[in-house]
């Protein structure tokens, strides 16, 4: 059941509309902007990035639990990336059926064979959670995934706290406005990039951001070699991949070229693989976390407390049991392929359609099954260009940003650098802000 409508949402509809207009104007003033859908590669026309009219209540205990565990997740990702035997075992089945993961893994193997060219590692990631509503009425923080590649919205989420503070003040909710946390992941993420650049040790070297441009493959080899890699004659110290998590982004020789270079890659190929869904599933097996934290039972307990049920679809009795479980109660689960970017997950009756087709096929090993998390819905207004202003039944997802820099065996920096709250209508099972489904939000700690 949804929470009752908060008092500040029971205002007269004219007042709500006036607040929405104020909110949109203030968002523009604060730089909460995005290009319009009709001209996504031009800055001539922009609009406000979609956001909630009011911040969403989030229990303090759950919020600070997510913040506290983030540095441990940073360490875990780094340790996985340095454990080729674990990656080989974890992904052995997946790479036989998933061509994209297999090609990434082939580059990983090539780099291991040749030897890593750079001892500096830069990790910028985001761990995403929902608050599972327990039978006793309390909530429980459960991880959806960890993004080790292109963990987005650090910039916009640094700008939204002031927007919601302003809205609440205008609405006469001064005390609530003071409960919105300061948040500046952009500064923390940038500081980690700057540290990696500093450790690289060349003042003339540049940082290169690989982003998707209209009608251009960012991993086109000639483009990398002729335009970006030479960078007008300057040396490249750090490469940040804003894109490259989908198969259509790739010319594979170009990715191998970058992995072989002296530049610090964010992420490098092994860190990219550490963020796969299959690795996430394998980590939930008994004893696996202890492999990475052998003498730190409290760290293991903190991380494991955030796990939800994750199940293999490998061939054999265990995978067969997973298939039967999903077919019997598909609404209890989410079927996940090895893809990022939103909109890829499979729900409800579609799970049955996919698994009935694949249950006897090795192709099922390209997926994992996850328990569906059931957050408690809340009411809010979603401000999106071109859509009517109406109260919606909403679900929220909390992301926590982590940044780490390692040089050789020395972990130079390991921090939690901020958070992100995204909210969507409960009518949409999947999809993020970029997909036009979710909107930006802020936690109102309660």
């Amino acid at each position: 059941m949804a929470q009752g409508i908060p008092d500040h949402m029971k205002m007269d509809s004219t007042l709500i509309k006036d607040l929405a207009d104020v909110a949109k104007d203030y968002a523009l003033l604060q730089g909460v902007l995005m290009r319009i859908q009709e001209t996504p590669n031009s800055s001539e026309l922009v609009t406000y990035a979609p956001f909630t009219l009011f911040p969403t209540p989030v229990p303090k205990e759950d919020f600070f639990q997510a913040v506290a565990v983030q540095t441990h997740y940073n360490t875990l990702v780094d340790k996985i990336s340095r454990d080729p035997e674990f990656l080989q075992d974890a992904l052995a089945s997946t790479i036989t059926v998933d061509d994209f993961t297999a090609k990434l893994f082939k580059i990983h193997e090539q780099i291991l064979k040749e030897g890593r060219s750079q001892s500096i590692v830069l990790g910028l990631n985001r761990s995403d959670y929902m608050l599972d509503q327990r039978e006793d009425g309390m909530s429980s923080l459960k991880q959806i995934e960890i993004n080790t590649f292109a963990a987005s919205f650090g910039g916009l989420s640094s700008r939204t706290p002031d927007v919601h503070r302003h809205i609440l003040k205008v609405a006469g909710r001064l005390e609530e406005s003071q409960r919105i946390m300061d948040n500046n992941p952009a500064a923390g993420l940038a500081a980690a990039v700057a540290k990696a650049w500093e450790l690289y040790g060349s003042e003339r070297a540049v940082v290169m951001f690989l982003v998707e441009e209209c009608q251009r493959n960012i991993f086109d080899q000639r483009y990398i070699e002729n335009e970006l890699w030479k960078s007008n004659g300057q040396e490249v110290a750090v490469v940040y991949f804003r894109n490259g998590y989908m198969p259509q982004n790739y010319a594979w020789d170009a990715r191998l070229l970058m992995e072989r270079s002296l530049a610090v890659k964010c992420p490098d190929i092994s860190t990219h693989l550490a963020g796969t869904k299959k690795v996430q599933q394998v980590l939930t097996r008994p004893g696996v976390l202890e492999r990475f934290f052998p003498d730190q039972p409290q760290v293991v307990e903190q991380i494991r407390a955030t796990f939800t049920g994750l199940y293999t679809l490998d061939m054999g009795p265990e995978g067969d049991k997973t298939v039967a479980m999903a077919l019997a109660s598909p609404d209890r689960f989410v079927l996940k392929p090895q893809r990022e970017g939103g909109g890829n997950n499979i729900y409800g009756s579609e799970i049955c359609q996919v698994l009935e087709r694949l249950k006897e096929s090795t192709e099922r090993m390209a997926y994992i099954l996850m328990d569906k998390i059931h957050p408690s819905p809340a009411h809010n207004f979603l401000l999106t260009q071109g859509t009517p202003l109406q109260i919606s039944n909403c679900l929220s997802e909390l992301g926590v940003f982590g940044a780490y820099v390692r040089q050789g065996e020395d972990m130079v920096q390991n921090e939690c650098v901020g958070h992100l709250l995204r909210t969507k209508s409960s009518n949409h099972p999947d999809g993020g802000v970029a997909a036009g489904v979710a909107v930006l939000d802020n936690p109102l700690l309660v």
Side-chain angles (χ1 to χ4, degrees):
M1 296 291 291
Q3 296 175 6
I5 299 176
D7 290 342
H8 56 267
M9 294 191 199
K10 297 177 182 176
M11 300 174 183
D12 177 86
S13 60
T14 302
L15 287 176
I16 289 290
K17 183 183 182 303
D18 289 344
L19 269 181
D21 290 339
V22 169
K24 294 171 189 177
D25 286 344
Y26 203 74
L28 294 172
L29 288 172
Q30 292 297 315
V32 183
L33 304 171
M34 63 185 294
R35 293 168 173 173
I36 65 171
Q37 189 174 12
E38 292 76 12
T39 54
N41 297 293
S42 171
S43 296
E44 291 299 312
L45 292 173
V46 297
T47 185
Y48 59 90
F51 65 103
T52 57
L53 181 56
F54 298 106
T56 294
V58 173
K60 287 181 184 179
E61 182 179 346
D62 295 319
F63 177 84
F64 287 114
Q65 179 189 358
V67 169
V69 78
Q70 185 56 44
T71 55
H72 300 320
Y73 267 116
N74 293 346
T75 302
L76 177 60
V77 168
D78 183 55
K79 289 188 174 188
I80 292 169
S81 74
R82 302 167 70 187
D83 192 334
E85 182 182 352
F86 173 79
L87 283 173
Q88 172 69 55
D89 291 344
L91 296 171
S93 60
T94 305
I95 60 178
T96 65
V97 292
D98 187 273
D99 186 59
F100 180 54
T101 308
K103 287 178 176 177
L104 292 172
F105 196 82
K106 184 177 179 181
I107 293 176
H108 164 70
E109 288 184 307
Q110 185 67 28
I111 294 303
L112 288 177
K113 180 180 177 182
E114 296 175 5
R116 299 179 191 269
S117 59
Q118 178 56 261
S119 65
I120 302 167
V121 174
L122 168 64
L124 305 179
N125 60 59
R126 194 189 70 231
S127 187
D128 293 335
Y129 306 91
M130 278 185 166
L131 304 184
D132 198 32
Q133 195 69 21
R134 301 196 310 241
E135 292 182 359
D136 62 4
M138 302 296 287
S139 58
S140 178
L141 185 79
K142 294 300 176 186
Q143 188 188 57
I144 301 167
E145 63 182 355
I146 187 161
N147 300 274
T148 64
F149 198 116
S152 57
F153 292 105
L156 286 175
S157 59
S158 301
R159 299 300 224 167
T160 55
D162 282 342
V163 176
H164 276 137
R165 288 188 188 114
H166 182 71
I167 295 165
L168 290 173
K169 288 175 183 176
V170 171
R173 317 288 294 193
L174 181 61
E175 189 275 330
E176 288 181 7
S177 74
Q178 296 169 346
R179 283 193 271 132
I180 295 178
M181 298 283 292
D182 288 336
N183 189 34
N184 196 358
L189 297 170
V193 173
K195 175 57 70 174
W197 174 87
E198 176 189 322
L199 293 173
Y200 184 86
S202 173
E203 292 186 0
R204 292 180 55 82
V206 298
V207 176
M208 182 170 74
F209 292 87
L210 283 179
V211 298
E212 185 178 23
E213 295 188 38
C214 183
Q215 297 180 335
R216 176 177 286 159
N217 185 323
I218 65 164
F219 286 101
D220 179 86
Q221 186 161 1
R222 285 182 299 173
Y223 179 52
I224 296 294
E225 289 177 335
N226 297 334
E227 295 189 45
L228 291 178
W229 209 239
K230 292 179 182 177
S231 196
N232 297 320
Q234 291 181 296
E235 189 177 2
V236 178
V238 179
V239 181
Y240 177 76
F241 298 121
R242 177 59 191 91
N243 212 338
Y245 46 81
M246 295 293 282
Q248 60 264 32
N249 299 139
Y250 275 86
W252 292 99
D253 288 345
R255 179 68 190 266
L256 178 59
L257 175 72
M258 287 184 276
E259 289 298 327
R260 283 170 165 164
S261 77
L262 289 174
V264 180
K265 279 73 65 176
C266 183
D268 62 23
I269 192 71
S270 57
T271 305
H272 188 169
L273 291 169
T276 56
K277 302 293 190 295
K278 184 60 179 178
V279 167
Q280 181 188 6
Q281 179 259 309
V282 171
L283 287 172
T284 65
R285 290 185 176 278
V288 175
L289 283 179
E290 284 82 355
R291 175 189 182 109
F292 300 104
F293 300 98
D295 301 312
Q296 297 175 275
Q298 289 183 327
V299 172
V300 169
E301 184 179 349
Q302 276 185 271
I303 295 174
R304 189 165 283 147
T306 67
F307 288 168
T308 190
L310 291 158
Y311 311 97
T312 182
L313 283 161
D314 287 356
M315 305 308 289
E318 189 178 1
D320 292 344
K321 182 179 178 182
T322 299
V323 171
M325 186 169 62
L327 290 175
S329 304
D331 290 335
R332 288 179 47 209
F333 303 103
V334 181
L335 188 63
K336 291 188 166 188
Q338 309 300 312
R339 295 292 181 271
E340 304 297 335
N344 300 298
N345 296 334
I346 300 167
Y347 299 84
S349 61
E350 290 186 25
I351 293 178
C352 295
Q353 294 172 22
V354 173
L355 290 183
E356 285 287 1
R357 178 169 53 87
L358 299 180
K359 62 182 179 181
E360 303 298 334
S361 169
T362 57
E363 290 182 44
R364 78 188 198 190
M365 299 190 300
Y367 299 84
I368 65 164
L369 192 72
M370 186 181 88
D371 281 344
K372 191 174 182 180
I373 302 169
H374 296 281
S376 179
H379 291 99
N380 213 326
F381 296 89
L382 308 182
L383 304 184
T384 304
Q385 184 193 27
T387 61
L389 181 65
Q390 60 186 21
I391 198 162
S392 298
N393 205 33
C394 300
L395 305 175
S396 296
E397 182 175 321
L398 175 66
V400 179
F401 291 97
Y404 65 89
V405 180
R406 176 173 54 79
Q407 186 173 32
E409 296 297 319
D410 183 20
M411 186 64 86
V412 178
Q413 181 176 328
N414 181 7
E415 298 176 355
C416 172
V417 296
H419 59 270
L420 165 71
L421 194 69
R422 290 168 294 174
T423 293
K424 64 186 177 184
S425 166
S426 59
N427 294 328
H428 297 286
D430 196 19
V433 177
V437 174
V439 306
L440 300 169
D441 198 349
N442 275 293
L444 178 70
L445 298 187
V446 293

